Amino acid sequence: MFVLILGAPGSGKGTQGKILAERLAVPKITTGDLLRAAMKEGTPLGLEAKKFYDDGKLVPDSIILGMIKEQLDRPEAKNGAILDGFPRTAAQAELVDKTLGQRGQRLNHILLLDVTEDELVRRMSARAQVEGRADDAPEAIATRLQVYQRDTAPLIAHYAQRGIVHRVPGTGTVDQIAGDIKRIIGR
Ligand code: AMP
C-alpha cells in the first residue's frame, strides 16, 4: 500500500507518517530528512539544496526528482511506502504516478492533515526552539506556508479527481489523529 501524507509544514506529517509506517511495516520515505542528511554530510547535492532549504524555498525538481526515483526503486519500497514531504510539485506527482504505474501500482490513499495556519506557525516556532532548524526561523516559516499554498495545495485537486483524498483534522492529540487514520486506511 502506498500512502501519501499531505499537509502544510508543521501539520504533523512526520509524526503520523512514522506511526503509520510502523503499523503497515513499510518504509517511510521523507525527502526533508534525506535533504537534511545530505546537508549534514556536505555532499554536493546537500550543498546545492541548502541554498533553497534555509530560506524555506522548495529545492528544485532538478535535484529532487532523481532522489525520489531512487527511493521508490529501492527493494524495501517494492510493495508499499509512506510518502512524507513529496510529491510537492506537479512534476514530482507525475514522476510518482509514472514510477508506480510502470510497476502496476498506484497511490492508494492521500491523507490531508488539516491544521489552521495559526496552529502551524505556533508549532513550527516551538520546534525552532527544540530542533534549531534554520527553516523554522520566522521568515522561512512564512515562505514555506506560501510555497505550500502555491505549489503543493493544487495537488489536492489532482488527487481528489481520483477520489482518494481523505481530510484528517490535524488538531487532536497524536493518538486521536492516528486513530482517525487507522479507521480511514482500514488497518
Ligand atoms: P520538510 O521537512 O518536509 O518540511 O521539508 C523541509 C524543506 O526541505 C522544505 O522547505 C524544502 O526546502 C525541502 N524539501 C523537502 N521535500 C521537498 C520536495 N519534495 N521538493 C522540494 N523541496 C523539498
Side-chain angles (χ1 to χ4, degrees), residues 159-187:
Y159 291 120
Q161 287 174 349
R162 294 191 215 163
I164 55 172
V165 176
H166 314 271
R167 204 170 276 272
V168 184
T171 24
T173 66
V174 169
D175 285 348
Q176 275 167 352
I177 299 166
D180 284 348
I181 291 176
K182 191 174 178 182
R183 269 190 296 281
I184 289 167
I185 304 279
R187 60 192 175 111

Side-chain angles (χ1 to χ4, degrees), residues 9 13 31-32 35-36 52-53 56-59 64 68 85-86 88 92 127 133 135 144:
K13 299 188 295 287
T31 42
L35 290 169
R36 281 183 283 277
F52 303 91
Y53 180 101
K57 295 182 179 149
L58 285 189
V59 175
I64 295 285
I68 290 177
F86 78 99
R88 253 178 161 100
Q92 293 177 22
R127 184 169 69 186
R133 270 175 59 165
D135 65 336
R144 288 161 69 206

Side-chain angles (χ1 to χ4, degrees), residues 46-97:
L47 292 175
E48 186 58 27
K50 190 169 165 49
K51 299 180 202 162
F52 303 91
Y53 180 101
D54 283 354
D55 289 340
K57 295 182 179 149
L58 285 189
V59 175
D61 281 338
S62 54
I63 298 179
I64 295 285
L65 291 177
M67 180 185 265
I68 290 177
K69 177 95 178 98
E70 191 184 323
Q71 290 296 316
L72 289 175
D73 283 343
R74 278 170 52 207
E76 299 92 310
K78 201 172 60 148
N79 297 318
I82 308 302
L83 278 46
D84 167 14
F86 78 99
R88 253 178 161 100
T89 64
Q92 293 177 22
E94 233 169 81
L95 177 71
V96 170
D97 286 348

Side-chain angles (χ1 to χ4, degrees), residues 72-158:
L72 289 175
D73 283 343
R74 278 170 52 207
E76 299 92 310
K78 201 172 60 148
N79 297 318
I82 308 302
L83 278 46
D84 167 14
F86 78 99
R88 253 178 161 100
T89 64
Q92 293 177 22
E94 233 169 81
L95 177 71
V96 170
D97 286 348
K98 189 169 143 213
T99 304
L100 295 182
Q102 282 168 347
R103 300 165 9 186
Q105 297 171 320
R106 62 190 171 82
L107 283 177
N108 302 96
H109 300 285
I110 317 290
L111 302 171
L112 177 60
L113 293 180
D114 208 1
V115 178
T116 63
E117 194 156 314
D118 283 354
E119 174 67 11
L120 295 171
V121 172
R122 200 189 58 73
R123 288 187 194 175
M124 283 187 275
S125 309
R127 184 169 69 186
Q129 313 279 321
V130 181
E131 294 180 18
R133 270 175 59 165
D135 65 336
D136 280 337
E139 275 174 24
I141 289 178
T143 302
R144 288 161 69 206
L145 291 171
Q146 280 167 9
V147 166
Y148 174 76
Q149 289 305 336
R150 190 189 63 205
D151 295 326
T152 306
L155 298 182
I156 299 166
H158 167 77

